[in-house]
Amino acid sequence: MIEEVLSQVFGIWFLIGAALVFFMQAGFAMVEAGFTRAKNAGNIIMKNTMDFCLGTVAFLLLGFSLLCGAQGNSFIGWGGHPLTDFAGTDWSTFTFNLVFCATAATIVSGAMAERTKFISYCVYSFIISLVIYPIETHWVWGPDGFLTAMGFHDFAGSAVIHFAGGLCAFIGAAMLGARIGKFDKDGKPRGIPGHNIVVGALGVFILWFGWYGFNGAAATSGLQLATIFATTTVAPALAACTVMAFTWFRYGKPDVSMTLNGALAGLVAITAGCDAVNVWGACIIGIVSGLLCCLFVWLLDYKLHVDDPVGAVAVHFANGLWGTLAVGLFACGTETMPEAVGLFYGGGWQQLGIQAFGLLCIGAWTAVTIFLTFFCIKKTIGLRVTPHEEIQGLDKEEHGLDSAYGGFVFETDMSPYAPVEIAIPTSEKEVIVNVEDAVPVRMKEGTGEFSQVTIIAKPDRFESLKNELDKIGIGGMTVTNVMGMGVQKGQTTYYRGAEVESKLLPKMKVEIVVSEVPVQKVIDATRKALYTGQMGDGKIFVYDVEQVVRISTGQKGKDALKYNEA
């Protein structure tokens, strides 16, 4: 009687754990959105929503059968079709494995954020849930997986979810290329801060909360569940402390976003052995995971030049690998694993070898299949958006959403866009929008010796404008943040099917006074910098100026405009 009650209790807890894992989707969405720029927040929320929704379709059609089907073999499952066999399907197992499958697909999103086509994202996310994840997971969690038969231990998914998802993320980010402005001409990385660290931090806490279900849902006794909760608490705490101390020592101040990544790294690393290690083991696993997180962020930025906006590769790939191997080092003998098999507890090298072999198998399958997937997408519909779409933001260009934060204005990050130039068309065949329409000029006729040129531009083109003006010898300017709007042809936008009324948008007003530099030269340089092929790239106004006086020296006229003289 007691055994039956306990079976029912832990069966219900199994589903509650699945619900906690589902809630982790909110955490992933918030971390990714907070660690990236505001102009892409809507796109990121959309991707994280569709991860689960497309993953559900894929899992219904084929994924569940490949993972859990009992009619297959030790390499691939078959049978158990939920669409056609409602009564015969184990819906607890289906739901549990579905939420984990969606988690693996979501990991890839962060590393490829801010420059991936939405349609391409949908395609590869669907394929991950349809084929890639179910087959490699069958080897470990399937009815007769060959890795489990060998003794491979991955209790909650350091290898099958995080290592595999992180590997997909690394390959995808490498093939996609870095965001515009991430690296300078010498390959030195530039920091591109996320727009809302508070949202990112809340996402980390949601993920940590959900991880108690992620690691603990498969527990079958109170003691086992309690020890899993303990190790799932200790490892991320030590990892976060390690990252905080490391960044404080290395950079002079404790880095907030890196410390948050450190907590996630500790959670990933403890996932494989959360049921098989003690608290001391969890402490060491956490400390090492924190150091690995810092090392891989540096490695990707400074050596491999792979742009990972949210640290997905450092968190999931590096620590999925480490956490899986850590079982072979720290498994000390617990309710799940009565005999100590860890190298440091007298178990010898055997378990460590098995863990390494399992990673090799999972890594080979994942790398080959995801590379082929990305390669086919790149050669057909394309992986990456255009430079213009990336600069404008995927919210606007992919979803017709002016901002994910209606009514709020965020500071525009300008510096990364200086290298981007879009050539002004030289023939009618090349014209998308004529440059005279995109950047019109209003000139007040006069015979003054000096002219004031006032330029109204989009904030994200300012750095490019500044560089072009510098090339023609303009050394001084006045810049003002302003708000403005114009009636633009073909610029109607919609939200939930309804037309959105025009509203004031952030602009920059640049004012310069010239004499020896021809006004037309300024106009040509400005159009070159501002032109993107779209209506509303900017406006140029030219006025006469009677006199110019430099306050510091009292110089007047042309002498006051000699910027290279003190």
Side-chain angles (χ1 to χ4, degrees), residues 90 149 172 196 201 211 273 282 355 427:
D90 183 344
N196 197 328
W211 228 287
Q355 298 297 109
S427 68

Side-chain angles (χ1 to χ4, degrees), residues 13 44 51 55 86 116 131 135 219 227 249 277 315 319 325 350 395 412 461 552 555 564:
W13 161 245
I44 285 164
D51 267 329
F86 179 80
T116 305
V131 177
I135 290 179
T227 57
F249 175 78
V277 304
V315 168
N319 287 289
L325 293 177
Q350 182 178 4
D395 288 2
T412 302
R461 301 302 298 171
S552 61
Q555 292 172 300
N564 58 339

